[in-house]
Amino acid sequence: HWHGILLPFQMDGVPGLPFPGIAAGETFTYEFPIKQSGTFWYHSHSGLQEQEGLYGSIVIEPMAPEPAPADRDYVVMLSDYSFIHAHKIFEKLKQQSGVFNYQRQTIAGLLAGRDQPLKDRIAWAKMRMDPTDISDVTGAAYTFLINGHGPDDNWTALFKPGERVKLRFINAGAQSVFDVRIPGLKMTVVAADGQNVQPVEVDEFQIGNAETFDVIVQPTEDKAFTLVAESVDRSGMGRATLAPRPGMTAPVPALRRRPLATMKDMGMDMSSMAMPGMPPHQMDMSMLNPANAPGVKLGPGVQMLAPMPMDRTGEPGQGLADVGHKVLVYRDLVALDPNPDVRTPTRALDIHLTGNMDRFMWGFDGEKFSETTKPYSFEKGERVRVTLVNDTMMAHPIHLHGHFFELVTGPAGHRPRKHTVMVLPGGKVSWDFTAEPGRWAFHCHMLYHMH
């Protein structure tokens, strides 16, 4: 699959749509016109081959001058690798979804104030919810890589002080969300998912599976800087170096405290619901029952619906709310070029992201893929507003093949265009798109969720 590339659907590389797949020892020639530029990537769309390493970067240079030129240009591909075979990882998740979570709350954490207060722990235990369940597969199974190199390998990007350096970040992780920062250096985001945006200066950004961000850095000192790609659950990090000369290193920061999920992640902003004097943990938890959420078709095994989903596009991502510096949020993104289609949508479609975390089952609108009877259907050229509602306590990076969509977070006419969007737990994201002809895959890019 040519991720983020606009092409005929027959060349999209997804078996069954209608590409037949490539049998062992066989070949298939892809032919399609290139009509875009930017940072993209490719990966296998068969089974769990992406986890095994079948992916790579694609950089398409523009015909016109770069709006954000740089003296040096590097791809920074983030990924996760395990010595446990991908199918064994999936088998373990099906047997016990929290099998790789080694960061559960403890008595020591309670006494030290690192974990939830006792009353909150009791309330969450009654709901059978684990606030430390941030990532399905963690540093207990993964080594986090940068351009195929582990944290001790010191992959290095060279610069001369004063140069503008472009770093093209691609999250090729099978199941990992990364928080990226370069201590001591500001980063100017100039593109998202291969689409130019108005420059925005940040100290850190969260990058979901399959997203890409281009940033410009301009180190002026003759010293090394550490590039940190910290796993969202703080169970490990990818690490590289920016340096004037080979062999240099900079201090590597310690992993930060792991985040804890909140009632907002459960789709319940309890502070707005509590009666005066009533603590949040005494709220009526019956609203977590899917039967109390009208209008959504639920298949077997659906565990939870968010009763109060919120637009969380103004938030930086789990674990980044109180880091003390500027973190990118979707609302910061403004398209540099005018949107190609600014028509008002003629139809609205809500799609719920549903699942059962205990049984490790995931789906849209209460159905897993094997149970669906018909696709989401559109007319060619139809303008549609889609709202994704995350009824689970996991973040989901949702990818639409063959299209770019415009997040409604941006100003009219210059809304940021993306092919993948992170939907935070208990959150919702709306975007507009113009339907292109063909049969297109639409899925969560957490590989084991899709599988």
Side-chain angles (χ1 to χ4, degrees), residues 13-65:
V14 180
L17 293 179
F19 170 69
I22 309 172
E26 299 297 320
T27 62
F28 181 88
T29 301
Y30 292 90
E31 294 184 358
F32 51 87
I34 296 297
K35 46 187 180 181
Q36 64 201 97
S37 61
T39 303
F40 305 100
W41 64 298
Y42 65 89
H43 59 85
S44 168
H45 225 289
S46 296
L48 297 173
Q49 293 174 0
E50 180 190 324
Q51 175 75 94
E52 298 301 303
L54 213 174
Y55 56 80
S57 61
I58 299 175
V59 174
I60 304 174
E61 297 182 354
M63 297 177 65

Side-chain angles (χ1 to χ4, degrees), residues 251-264:
V252 179
L255 290 168
R256 295 175 291 189
R257 181 183 299 182
R258 57 99 162 91
L260 294 175
T262 66
M263 296 304 290
K264 185 184 290 187

Side-chain angles (χ1 to χ4, degrees), residues 290-297 305 352:
N292 296 331
V296 178
K297 177 184 177 183
L305 292 178
H352 286 253

Side-chain angles (χ1 to χ4, degrees), residues 139-405:
Y142 275 150
T143 298
F144 301 107
L145 308 181
I146 294 181
N147 290 341
H149 294 261
D152 297 331
D153 294 337
N154 195 31
W155 181 85
T156 301
L158 298 177
F159 68 87
K160 293 180 180 178
E163 287 184 325
R164 288 168 54 89
V165 181
K166 177 173 287 188
L167 303 174
R168 301 175 183 264
F169 287 93
I170 303 170
N171 185 352
Q175 202 72 13
S176 301
V177 175
F178 292 100
D179 296 327
V180 176
R181 70 192 193 275
I182 306 174
L185 277 184
K186 297 284 187 180
M187 298 181 289
T188 301
V189 178
V190 296
D193 287 357
Q195 307 295 294
N196 295 322
V197 297
Q198 295 182 17
V200 53
E201 187 176 82
V202 300
D203 297 289
E204 187 167 4
F205 62 88
Q206 185 167 103
I207 182 168
N209 310 62
E211 288 188 298
T212 76
F213 287 105
D214 293 3
V215 308
I216 298 287
V217 296
Q218 192 168 13
T220 57
E221 301 174 85
D222 186 45
K223 69 174 190 178
F225 298 86
T226 296
L227 192 161
V228 177
E230 194 173 28
S231 173
V232 66
D233 70 335
R234 311 292 186 247
S235 63
M237 70 168 66
R239 168 252 182 173
T241 299
L242 301 179
R245 293 172 295 281
M248 297 180 70
T249 61
V252 179
L255 290 168
R256 295 175 291 189
R257 181 183 299 182
R258 57 99 162 91
L260 294 175
T262 66
M263 296 304 290
K264 185 184 290 187
D265 297 318
M266 202 182 291
M268 298 179 69
D269 186 3
M270 304 301 288
S271 61
S272 65
M273 300 170 54
M275 298 295 289
M278 180 183 292
H281 70 280
Q282 293 182 7
M283 294 295 96
D284 180 7
M285 298 305 173
S286 65
M287 61 185 64
L288 288 176
N289 187 340
N292 296 331
V296 178
K297 177 184 177 183
L298 298 178
V302 175
Q303 183 182 46
M304 174 194 143
L305 292 178
M308 300 177 62
M310 300 174 57
D311 182 343
R312 303 186 67 181
T313 53
E315 300 180 27
Q318 290 178 287
L320 294 176
D322 302 311
V323 293
H325 55 233
K326 171 61 179 175
V327 183
L328 182 74
V329 300
Y330 280 140
R331 294 182 190 177
D332 292 328
L333 300 176
V334 177
L336 186 64
D337 301 316
N339 296 151
D341 191 345
V342 295
R343 292 177 296 156
T344 301
T346 57
R347 180 156 62 107
L349 174 65
D350 289 354
I351 299 176
H352 286 253
L353 317 180
T354 51
N356 183 315
M357 296 172 72
D358 290 335
R359 296 173 64 186
F360 206 73
M361 294 169 57
W362 309 96
F364 291 128
D365 291 332
E367 293 184 328
K368 60 181 182 178
F369 180 72
S370 61
E371 299 169 346
T372 57
T373 56
K374 60 181 181 179
Y376 297 109
S377 297
F378 310 93
E379 297 293 331
K380 177 183 177 181
E382 185 180 10
R383 191 75 174 154
V384 183
R385 173 159 297 180
V386 175
T387 298
L388 303 176
V389 183
N390 189 349
D391 289 324
T392 80
M393 284 184 61
M394 303 296 293
H396 296 287
I398 303 299
H399 173 47
L400 174 62
H401 286 224
H403 298 74
F404 282 94
F405 47 75

